mmCIF file of all heavy atoms in Angstrom:
data_model
loop_
_atom_site.group_PDB
_atom_site.id
_atom_site.type_symbol
_atom_site.label_atom_id
_atom_site.label_comp_id
_atom_site.label_asym_id
_atom_site.label_seq_id
_atom_site.Cartn_x
_atom_site.Cartn_y
_atom_site.Cartn_z
ATOM 1 N N SER A 184 25.845 23.243 -24.780
ATOM 2 C CA SER A 184 24.704 24.149 -24.755
ATOM 3 C C SER A 184 23.456 23.355 -24.421
ATOM 4 O O SER A 184 23.302 22.200 -24.838
ATOM 5 C CB SER A 184 24.539 24.850 -26.106
ATOM 6 O OG SER A 184 24.333 23.896 -27.136
ATOM 7 N N PRO A 194 2.413 17.683 -8.984
ATOM 8 C CA PRO A 194 2.715 17.704 -7.543
ATOM 9 C C PRO A 194 4.000 16.949 -7.248
ATOM 10 O O PRO A 194 4.325 15.958 -7.907
ATOM 11 C CB PRO A 194 1.503 16.999 -6.923
ATOM 12 C CG PRO A 194 0.414 17.154 -7.923
ATOM 13 C CD PRO A 194 1.087 17.133 -9.268
ATOM 14 N N MET A 265 28.153 -29.982 31.481
ATOM 15 C CA MET A 265 27.381 -28.876 30.947
ATOM 16 C C MET A 265 28.130 -27.581 31.235
ATOM 17 O O MET A 265 28.197 -27.141 32.383
ATOM 18 C CB MET A 265 25.980 -28.822 31.560
ATOM 19 C CG MET A 265 25.079 -29.964 31.149
ATOM 20 S SD MET A 265 23.355 -29.646 31.574
ATOM 21 C CE MET A 265 22.595 -31.167 31.014
ATOM 22 N N ILE A 343 18.609 1.259 -15.212
ATOM 23 C CA ILE A 343 20.018 1.378 -15.596
ATOM 24 C C ILE A 343 20.350 0.370 -16.690
ATOM 25 O O ILE A 343 20.997 0.690 -17.688
ATOM 26 C CB ILE A 343 20.926 1.163 -14.362
ATOM 27 C CG1 ILE A 343 20.802 2.354 -13.405
ATOM 28 C CG2 ILE A 343 22.383 0.983 -14.788
ATOM 29 C CD1 ILE A 343 21.461 2.121 -12.060
ATOM 30 N N VAL A 351 24.034 0.345 -26.111
ATOM 31 C CA VAL A 351 24.684 -0.733 -26.858
ATOM 32 C C VAL A 351 24.054 -0.873 -28.238
ATOM 33 O O VAL A 351 24.748 -1.064 -29.246
ATOM 34 C CB VAL A 351 24.576 -2.063 -26.085
ATOM 35 C CG1 VAL A 351 25.100 -3.215 -26.930
ATOM 36 C CG2 VAL A 351 25.365 -1.983 -24.779
ATOM 37 N N ASP A 396 25.799 -22.865 -20.784
ATOM 38 C CA ASP A 396 27.121 -23.066 -21.376
ATOM 39 C C ASP A 396 28.156 -22.465 -20.429
ATOM 40 O O ASP A 396 28.246 -21.242 -20.279
ATOM 41 C CB ASP A 396 27.190 -22.389 -22.749
ATOM 42 C CG ASP A 396 28.579 -22.504 -23.380
ATOM 43 O OD1 ASP A 396 29.372 -23.338 -22.910
ATOM 44 O OD2 ASP A 396 28.858 -21.747 -24.333
ATOM 45 N N GLU A 403 31.698 -14.269 -19.302
ATOM 46 C CA GLU A 403 30.963 -13.130 -18.762
ATOM 47 C C GLU A 403 31.462 -12.780 -17.362
ATOM 48 O O GLU A 403 31.622 -11.603 -17.018
ATOM 49 C CB GLU A 403 29.471 -13.432 -18.725
ATOM 50 C CG GLU A 403 28.624 -12.268 -18.217
ATOM 51 C CD GLU A 403 27.133 -12.555 -18.255
ATOM 52 O OE1 GLU A 403 26.729 -13.533 -18.915
ATOM 53 O OE2 GLU A 403 26.388 -11.802 -17.621
ATOM 54 N N PRO A 526 48.720 -24.141 2.239
ATOM 55 C CA PRO A 526 49.291 -22.835 2.588
ATOM 56 C C PRO A 526 50.518 -22.531 1.746
ATOM 57 O O PRO A 526 51.409 -23.366 1.585
ATOM 58 C CB PRO A 526 49.650 -23.002 4.071
ATOM 59 C CG PRO A 526 48.691 -24.038 4.575
ATOM 60 C CD PRO A 526 48.507 -24.990 3.428
#
Side-chain angles (χ1 to χ4, degrees):
S184 60
M265 291 194 182
I343 290 170
V351 173
D396 177 16
E403 182 177 346

